[in-house]
């Protein structure tokens, strides 16, 4: 199992409930991951300062510093590293009683969340998926999609990315600058899921990080122009994660 993801992935786990922390740590280690586990945010910050983890699992409600604050520090550190800095996928552990935490967490740049109580196997499966996705992105993927041709066609649409011309059937449709950017990222990554988080980083940048709902808003506007808003065939929503473009 450990060889499947290449080098051992380093995971930071912050959870104050001891029984849960121990069981998650044990299970992840059995699956071949290296785990640094701690019960508090202050210790987590020390770990974050000294190294970059492949993934972090953060309980939101902690004594002292919250998991959301830890998440914010992870993103701050990445922002200091510039656009080439590695991205640490973050999974939040939220309580059903605190539904607003997950919204706030996603806005702060969490990649995923899992509501307590949860099955440890489910968490491990998500850990594996996030690490795999991040590595594929970092390595430029084994099979990058071919470059976008000048008169790129999908469904009944034709796109000219260099001339900023978009036609649906024979009708020319105006796209805003943001919509062009979103469409070009989607088409470039066609067939693969683009997380909201990645849209935020690529299109808006870290300096003026808006909320993830902003991404949803602009994607749905783009979709209403280039796709069928009710039954989209090209801009597919990947629930809780982001969007995927299909030809
Ligand atoms: Ca807790």
């Amino acid at each position: 199992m450990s060889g499947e993801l290449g080098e051992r992935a380093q995971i930071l786990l912050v959870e104050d409930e001891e029984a849960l922390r121990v069981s998650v740590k044990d299970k992840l280690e059995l699956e071949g991951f290296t785990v640094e586990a701690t019960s508090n945010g202050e210790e987590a910050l020390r770990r974050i300062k000294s190294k970059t983890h492949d993934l972090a699992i953060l309980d939101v409600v902690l004594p002292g510093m919250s998991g959301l604050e830890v998440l914010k520090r992870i993103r701050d550190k990445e922002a200091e590293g510039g656009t080439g800095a590695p991205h640490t996928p973050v999974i939040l552990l939220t309580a059903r009683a605190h539904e607003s935490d997950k919204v706030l967490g996603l806005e702060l740049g969490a990649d995923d969340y899992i509501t307590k109580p949860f099955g440890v196997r489910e968490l491990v499966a998500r850990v594996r998926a996030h690490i795999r996705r991040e590595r594929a992105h970092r390595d430029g993927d084994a099979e990058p999609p071919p470059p976008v041709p000048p008169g790129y066609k999908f469904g009944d649409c034709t796109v000219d990315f260099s001339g900023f011309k978009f036609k649906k059937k024979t009708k020319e449709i105006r796209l805003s600058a943001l919509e062009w950017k979103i469409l070009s990222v989607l088409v470039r990554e066609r067939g693969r899921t683009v997380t909201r988080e990645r849209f935020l980083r690529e299109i808006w940048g870290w300096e003026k990080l808006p909320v993830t709902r902003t991404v949803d808003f602009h994607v749905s506007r783009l979709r209403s122009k280039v796709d069928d808003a009710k039954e989209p065939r090209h801009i597919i929503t990947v629930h809780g994660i982001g969007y995927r473009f299909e030809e």
Side-chain angles (χ1 to χ4, degrees):
M1 277 285 200
S2 59
E4 199 193 328
L5 286 168
E7 86 215 54
R8 261 173 182 262
Q10 312 261 334
I11 295 172
L12 175 67
L13 167 66
V14 189
E15 168 59 66
D16 61 317
E17 283 169 53
E18 192 184 358
L20 183 57
R21 183 174 68 246
V22 169
S23 81
V24 169
K25 182 176 194 283
D26 285 353
K27 183 76 178 138
L28 286 168
E29 285 177 344
L30 263 177
E31 298 284 326
F33 298 102
T34 300
V35 183
E36 285 182 31
T38 169
S39 61
N40 66 84
E42 289 75 11
E43 176 58 27
L45 288 194
R46 282 192 281 280
R47 306 291 180 101
I48 291 162
K49 269 195 191 132
S50 66
K51 68 138 78 88
T52 299
H53 298 85
D54 294 288
L55 183 136
I57 300 167
L58 310 176
D59 182 24
V60 172
V61 182
L62 296 167
M65 176 181 287
S66 83
L68 295 177
E69 185 61 26
V70 177
L71 163 64
K72 209 165 159 299
R73 301 294 185 89
I74 290 176
R75 296 297 177 242
D76 286 348
K77 184 187 166 195
E78 288 168 359
E80 284 162 18
T83 49
H87 171 72
T88 301
V90 172
I91 301 176
L92 295 178
L93 308 182
T94 62
R96 208 171 290 281
H98 301 106
E99 280 290 293
S100 59
D101 284 345
K102 78 184 183 205
V103 177
L104 188 56
L106 291 169
E107 288 177 358
L108 286 172
D111 297 82
D112 203 354
Y113 63 87
I114 191 162
T115 306
K116 292 179 178 181
F118 57 85
V120 176
R121 287 165 68 100
E122 164 71 11
L123 176 62
V124 170
R126 295 211 204 170
V127 165
R128 195 173 280 284
H130 279 286
I131 289 177
R132 189 174 284 139
R133 191 180 303 146
E134 195 54 34
R135 290 202 171 159
H137 183 85
R138 207 183 303 165
D139 300 344
D141 228 29
E143 292 173 68
V148 180
Y152 178 69
K153 285 189 166 74
F154 63 92
D156 49 15
C157 302
T158 311
V159 201
D160 173 2
F161 282 103
S162 50
F164 297 101
K165 286 204 169 75
F166 180 87
K167 269 189 188 170
K168 188 162 189 178
K169 290 178 183 157
T170 53
K171 195 176 169 227
E172 195 162 326
I173 294 173
R174 261 183 66 93
L175 302 182
S176 70
L178 262 178
E179 288 161 358
W180 273 112
K181 284 185 190 166
I182 293 169
L183 185 62
S184 70
V185 171
L186 281 170
V187 170
R188 188 193 70 210
E189 302 290 329
R190 56 199 182 277
R192 296 190 287 194
T193 300
V194 182
T195 62
R196 289 194 188 93
E197 166 84 1
R198 197 169 296 285
F199 277 117
L200 289 176
R201 279 189 286 153
E202 282 206 26
I203 296 176
W204 282 270
W206 282 114
E207 310 79 54
K208 40 176 182 173
L209 193 70
V211 298
T212 47
R213 277 196 297 267
T214 310
V215 177
D216 299 333
F217 173 77
H218 289 282
V219 169
S220 66
R221 288 227 337 210
L222 173 67
R223 184 187 269 152
S224 69
K225 293 182 181 180
V226 313
D227 203 347
D228 182 335
K230 286 215 179 78
E231 276 182 69
R233 289 188 302 134
H234 303 295
I235 301 176
I236 311 298
T237 301
V238 182
H239 286 286
I241 310 270
Y243 298 91
R244 189 180 70 244
F245 184 83
E246 294 289 350
E247 292 181 343

